[in-house]
Amino acid sequence: MIESVNAKALNDFLSILPKRNHIRLGILLPSLPDAANAIKAAVKQEWIVPVLLGNKKDQELFSYLSGVDAESITAENALQALEIAINEEKIQALLRGEAGVHNLFATLLRMPSFRIGWISQVALLHLNSRTFLLSDAAVTLLPTLEQKVKIVENAIRVARVIGFDPPKVALLAAVETISTDIPVGMHDAILAKMSERGQFGNALLEGPLALDLAISEDAAKKKKVKSPVAGNANVLIAPNLEVGNGLYKALITLAGAASASVVVGGSIPIALPSRSDSIEAFINSILLTSILS
């Protein structure tokens, strides 16, 4: 099922991490085309117990396509079934459905039983023997400083679970110099100072950093930027959703990176592969969700 070199490397990386088997994974219906095969693979590996969320017709179709035995919570539509599942604690994780994420997030965020913190998307990517995190490419459009603190905290929490010790966090911006004319850079400088004061634990934060400085030791040397993060970042924090989403999709579609995407910060993690992602991305997103649940 896992065919590409980068996707297999990412799957191998995730497979050795501690995880809970047989987590109750809610599946929003109707599902995306690759979801049925990904669920079949996840059931075979004993990562999940699928719980179908939607109407009877969609549940029957998914069961036919996937060929797996599944529990179900039936309602007029998937979002109504999701509310039942969350409020009654019937699922431990969630896989997005065919619909866009706006209505999903709107439903979740009005539920006190789900919203226990600020939610953000974290993507785990593997490219050219390098495994790293990127956030936020799906949830917060223009994060305030307060929201960016939460995005960083969520990413650091994921980084620690998957074994990045310490998390080396690059706060991305267009340039590495600090200017009052660039609010993003001012936010990054504040976050970096917070890190110096130990407010993010043992995580190392540096910013603002241009992307080349974050990932290339050679660029850091040429620009004479000395930092334990510069050139060695394992967590990239985008300045806003447009940059994060564009970078995420460029790494996948142009560079061939493998990915696993989750939303964290709520009462349960959400596997959130893009609608255009490969089946490998679906499988790895489900696996990462089982690790974080």
Side-chain angles (χ1 to χ4, degrees):
M1 190 66 72
I2 302 290
E3 297 179 355
S4 77
V5 173
N6 283 323
K8 186 178 187 308
L10 183 58
N11 186 262
D12 289 345
F13 172 86
L14 289 170
S15 295
I16 64 174
L17 296 174
K19 61 182 175 298
R20 296 169 61 185
N21 286 337
H22 304 292
I23 65 163
R24 296 173 61 81
L25 179 72
I27 302 163
L28 285 174
L29 302 176
S31 66
L32 289 163
D34 284 325
N37 286 330
I39 292 299
K40 186 175 182 177
V43 169
K44 184 178 181 180
Q45 295 293 328
E46 299 185 347
W47 300 336
I48 66 164
V49 174
V51 181
L52 306 183
L53 307 177
N55 60 49
K56 195 69 174 176
K57 180 180 178 182
D58 288 336
Q59 290 169 350
E60 290 174 350
L61 177 60
F62 186 88
S63 295
Y64 172 77
L65 292 174
S66 66
V68 301
D69 293 327
E71 300 180 22
S72 61
I73 297 175
T74 306
E76 185 176 335
N77 60 61
L79 294 180
Q80 290 178 1
L82 175 61
E83 290 196 56
I84 296 169
I86 296 288
N87 288 330
E88 297 183 8
E89 298 183 354
K90 292 182 177 292
I91 57 174
Q92 297 163 292
L94 181 69
L95 173 64
R96 67 164 298 172
E98 183 180 60
V101 297
H102 177 76
N103 289 337
L104 170 60
F105 291 152
T107 298
L108 290 170
L109 293 178
R110 67 168 180 261
M111 298 171 60
S113 53
F114 173 81
R115 189 167 188 173
I116 60 174
W118 186 263
I119 68 168
S120 57
Q121 180 258 12
V122 181
L124 178 63
L125 297 127
H126 182 89
L127 177 65
N128 298 334
S129 302
R130 188 171 191 150
T131 304
F132 58 96
L133 296 173
L134 170 65
S135 186
D136 176 345
V139 179
T140 309
L141 182 59
L142 292 169
T144 63
L145 176 57
E146 181 182 11
Q147 291 167 351
K148 201 165 187 179
V149 169
K150 300 300 183 184
I151 290 169
V152 169
E153 289 175 338
N154 283 347
I156 289 173
R157 192 173 300 115
V158 174
R160 288 183 176 132
V161 170
I162 65 174
F164 290 174
D165 186 23
K168 296 179 180 180
V169 183
L171 306 164
L172 298 182
V175 294
E176 63 275 10
T177 53
I178 300 167
S179 170
T180 56
D181 294 329
I182 306 176
V184 165
M186 296 296 290
H187 286 178
D188 292 349
I190 292 170
L191 290 166
K193 178 57 70 173
M194 291 172 65
S195 176
E196 286 182 20
R197 299 285 170 84
Q199 291 177 247
F200 295 104
N202 73 329
L204 304 174
L205 271 74
E206 185 66 44
L209 284 179
L211 178 62
D212 58 343
L213 285 175
I215 62 176
S216 169
E217 289 182 324
D218 184 57
K221 289 176 183 178
K222 288 179 178 178
K223 292 186 176 183
K224 299 179 181 179
V225 175
K226 295 181 179 180
S227 160
V229 176
N232 295 290
N234 52 27
V235 181
L236 306 178
I237 301 296
N240 55 51
L241 187 147
E242 287 184 297
V243 172
N245 190 272
L247 179 57
Y248 173 74
K249 290 180 178 176
L251 286 167
I252 294 169
T253 58
L254 296 177
S259 67
S261 175
V262 295
V263 171
V264 295
S267 60
I268 61 172
I270 303 168
L272 196 81
S274 171
R275 284 176 288 183
S276 60
D277 273 346
S278 66
I279 185 170
E280 292 95 343
F282 274 78
I283 292 171
N284 284 328
S285 296
I286 293 169
L287 178 53
L288 180 56
T289 301
S290 73
I291 292 166
L292 296 174
S293 64

